[in-house]
Amino acid sequence: MNRFRFAAISPLVRFLLLMVLTALLLQSTPLMGKVQAQSSLPETAEEATENPTGTASLEGDATADGTSQPASDLAIPIVKAAPAGQYVLEFNRSPVVQDRLRFEGIYDEARLWFTRPQNWEPKSVKVLLRYRHSAALYATRSNMTVLVNGTSIGSAPLNRKQGELGEAVFEIPARLIRDYNELVVAALQNNSPTCTQDPYDPSLWSEILPDSKVVFDFQPQPIPLSFQQYPYPIVDVLSLEPNRVTYLKPLETTDEWLTAASRLQSSLGRVLEYRPLETRLATALDQVTADEALIIIGTPENQPILQSLDLPLPLDGTNLLNSDNQQLPPNSGVLMMTTALDDQIPVLVVTGNGVAGVAKAAQLLVQKQDEAIATGQAIIVDELTEVPSPEPRSWPDYLPTTDTFVLQDLTEGDQESVQDITVWGSHSPALEVDFRALPDDQILPGSTMDLTYSYGPQINPLTSQIEVTLDGVAIGGERLRSEDGGKREKIRLDLPTDTIKPYSKMQINFRLDPRERRSCSRVTDQQLWGTIHGDTQFQVNREATAWLPDLKLLKYGFPFAAPQDLSQTAIALSAQPTDPDLQVLLEVSERLGRLSKADSIKLAVYQGNALTPEIRQDHHLIAIGEYDEFPLPEAFDEPGFKLGDATSRQYAQTRIQPLTDREGLMKQVTSPWNDDKVLLALSGQSTTGLDQVRDLLDRDALFYQIEGDTVLVSQINPNPSEYDPDNYSVRILKQARQQKTSLETKPSQVLARFQQNWLFLSAGAVVIALLFYGIAQHLIKRLLEQVGE
């Protein structure tokens, strides 16, 4: 009996002992999930939907710059997919189309580009073309072909009667749609059943109407949130609609919050470049809509809304804890991604237990080298490497600052350097490159271009040429010389001193003619080729000077974007900034971001008296606020247009007092604290005036009208279209005395002056030497006479 009981109990005892030993072993051994970083994103959006409890590593090894990835077994936040929808993209949204796309000659084509938002899965895509054409076209030999990303999707015959509109629908296979797409419409036009003799016959034409469209039927996909995709989904560079971002206002608006928000907004403008961005402020979650992204900046104490969000790191009251429930130090920053409004919107949280930590977290997102290594749902920023500021005249999208450079030193739209380019055919497109002088460049005489090129042997050099234009104005060219072709040739052209601007584009074009002409045959045409070589050399003599104040230079960011990280620019607000003040702050920060390009952003914002004398002395200043609460009233002490008390205004000796003043004011003056710096005033007599200033900064059609030293802007239409600048009145005033300034250091200026005037200086030195020689000879002669006596 006892033996039976022992045999029955022993397996149970052995099992209990095994469980105890296992528990002890697990307690003494760290979990593998806290040592190895796990993948923070599922492979596909479908996998994210099927496995919503997938975990991301929230604590791992520290990176080289001191950031660390926190860890806990939390579900990856996923923005829910919206219902399926349809989007209509009309051709007239492209500036290429305007009133119509016109095709002329025997063969012509036009190209349009469109994107696919990152979370769209296209179900079906159609191209609807509405067109008309010349009644003289021969139907069986004239057609219009549509290609998408190099693949033909169909053709339509040009067989309509006089005045009749044609319509054609082309289906685009979903597999052809990419992130960036090219739509090509090619027209083949003939007015003869056998041979069209004159390719320039004016009857050879057809047009695509502007209400043609691309129609998307799509299914939005869920979006797993991770910093490895940042800035997506806060903004999407592929979006077909304006990106919409909302900042949640803190309980207390501090200099640190203003600086962090300003820098982050500048970085978003820099990422989006020309793409529209709509920004607003909110004080509660219920004010945010489902088509927006939310940004929360500040400590948990200053942003109590954080306690209601599902965050990857725990909160103890107003203190953030790490995964070990230890309070984070106040100088450690925290970045987190989460969702709100029932997982409908993405939320970016920039926080920390102290203002120093918040600033450090925000700075990581605006430093390119650090933002590139971010990943996971949350990041703790312990240390951050400071990025040195670039030279004031180092502007990436402009001409090199060296006097001698080659074509390969210039970049195209994709930031790739220009290499050897070969073009084919008698009507080949020109090579177009940005040839943008720095805003303070003054081009001097003697600047030249040594163009290196070669061409094929089938070209008739007597009737062929190469030409160079600058902004559509020819600056030179030459007839081709070699009978055999294939050899490199070089011509020297003088660069004009007054036509190279900060917006200039250079076009290099071959006009090629075959040795033998054959009617109705393109065989000889396709044998024609010419190559423009990347070692084409430029010698640009220039002087780095600018006359300020001049709002025309602000269109290119000058002088606030010198250096390009905005480290020499400070923004001043009143001690208690209003919502319109903050909106203008975000808008001017975004505009400066679009106009600059650097590895970091160091823009600073100050309230009230926080703007120290040292900052006023060393920085370009931007002041924002209504006239009654304007932070730097010295801006209205300078000559020119002035605002005054009780809606009064003064210009020269004229002083008036309108009953209402709803205009916005942008005025640039020489800084009262440093003659080499400027002060930009963004003001108005009311909040409506500040709203007008915001529109001026936001809308390209208005912003690129500014010049002079003062701009007055007002809204004419109550519901203005963002594409119609005529809905606003923009008045330009110019009265301030300009001063010559330079971004170069004093030794560099002296050296540059010597290089530019060496001939006169050499002649002067010879004259002075001869004068001293004569004086010396005279003194020696008198001395010898005295000795002889």
Side-chain angles (χ1 to χ4, degrees), residues 619-640:
H619 289 68
H620 298 290
L621 303 174
I622 300 176
I624 301 171
E626 293 182 47
Y627 175 77
D628 292 339
E629 300 292 334
F630 199 71
L632 298 177
E634 294 87 348
F636 301 112
D637 294 338
E638 298 293 322

Side-chain angles (χ1 to χ4, degrees), residues 556-606:
Y556 317 107
F558 189 86
F560 302 100
Q564 290 272 283
D565 64 354
L566 310 177
S567 57
Q568 289 297 306
T569 297
I571 300 178
L573 297 174
S574 63
Q576 298 293 328
T578 63
D579 281 3
D581 294 343
L582 299 180
Q583 293 278 23
V584 174
L585 167 67
L586 294 174
E587 205 62 60
V588 73
S589 301
E590 177 191 329
R591 177 60 68 177
L592 290 176
R594 295 178 187 271
L595 295 173
S596 61
K597 186 174 292 185
D599 293 333
S600 181
I601 296 175
K602 298 181 180 180
L603 186 63
V605 185
Y606 303 91

